[in-house]
Amino acid sequence: MVNRLIWSALLTLPFCANASDSLLKAQVESLPIHVQKVETCGAWTQADRAGYYRVVVVDVHEGAGSEIYVQWIAQPTHERRSELVRTLAFPELNDDHSQYAIQEMRCKKVGSGIEIAIKAQYEHDTVDKTHAIRVLVKAAGTYAISGTARSGKRR
């Protein structure tokens, strides 16, 4: 009798595990194929709101290049749901006519902002070269880029 109870309990374990890890499976499956990487990186605060930074890398033209974005995601509170507050694009890197193919991306918190370290190849290089690009993003949404094949702008 005890063996039968234990066996019955063991048979139900895989079903419980499958159910619990599938809560957002449909949402994950609906992510566009060209989303290469999503990484959270550091926290931000602003007046009565707080949240975290999310860095998103997407492939363009079937992997011929990449684009990168930083998003401010607000944490949920009793009054508000979690929400996307802002998305920052980088025209210096996300230029369709002067494209980078991001091979590696790391992000870390620096002060009240974040620093993104990128290794990428530039489509107009005449030799096989990997560029070490650094993007410093401040909480206010300003940023500085260094290490690009073209001169980086400050915003």
Side-chain angles (χ1 to χ4, degrees):
M1 180 70 168
V2 173
N3 285 340
R4 223 181 249 169
L5 288 173
I6 292 173
W7 184 249
S8 296
L10 288 174
L11 285 176
T12 61
L13 283 177
F15 299 114
C16 294
N18 286 341
S20 67
D21 71 357
S22 298
L23 184 62
L24 297 175
K25 184 178 180 186
Q27 288 84 344
V28 171
E29 287 178 337
S30 69
L31 285 173
I33 297 298
H34 53 271
V35 173
Q36 182 188 103
K37 184 174 189 169
V38 178
E39 184 175 321
T40 59
C41 180
W44 58 267
T45 57
Q46 181 182 46
D48 65 335
R49 300 178 87 177
Y52 59 92
Y53 298 100
R54 177 168 72 182
V55 181
V56 181
V57 177
V58 293
D59 287 332
V60 293
H61 305 299
E62 298 294 324
S66 309
E67 291 188 357
I68 186 167
Y69 301 88
V70 172
Q71 297 182 312
W72 282 249
I73 308 295
Q75 298 283 20
T77 65
H78 293 296
E79 298 84 31
R80 294 181 176 160
R81 299 174 78 168
S82 184
E83 67 179 313
L84 172 63
V85 175
R86 178 182 194 169
T87 299
L88 177 64
F90 304 99
E92 302 88 346
L93 301 174
N94 298 353
D95 184 346
D96 187 31
H97 300 290
S98 192
Q99 206 149 41
Y100 287 89
I102 297 174
Q103 300 163 322
E104 186 179 319
M105 185 277 296
R106 289 186 329 267
C107 180
K108 68 179 180 179
K109 180 154 179 55
V110 175
S112 62
I114 59 173
E115 180 182 83
I116 306 166
I118 300 167
K119 289 186 181 176
Q121 291 189 320
Y122 183 58
E123 74 175 338
H124 294 296
D125 280 342
T126 55
V127 295
D128 192 19
K129 179 180 178 182
T130 300
H131 294 267
I133 301 168
R134 185 177 150 238
V135 181
L136 183 60
V137 178
K138 296 186 179 180
T142 58
Y143 65 90
I145 297 178
S146 61
T148 61
R150 304 175 310 159
S151 61
K153 297 179 187 174
R154 228 179 219 282
R155 295 195 183 250

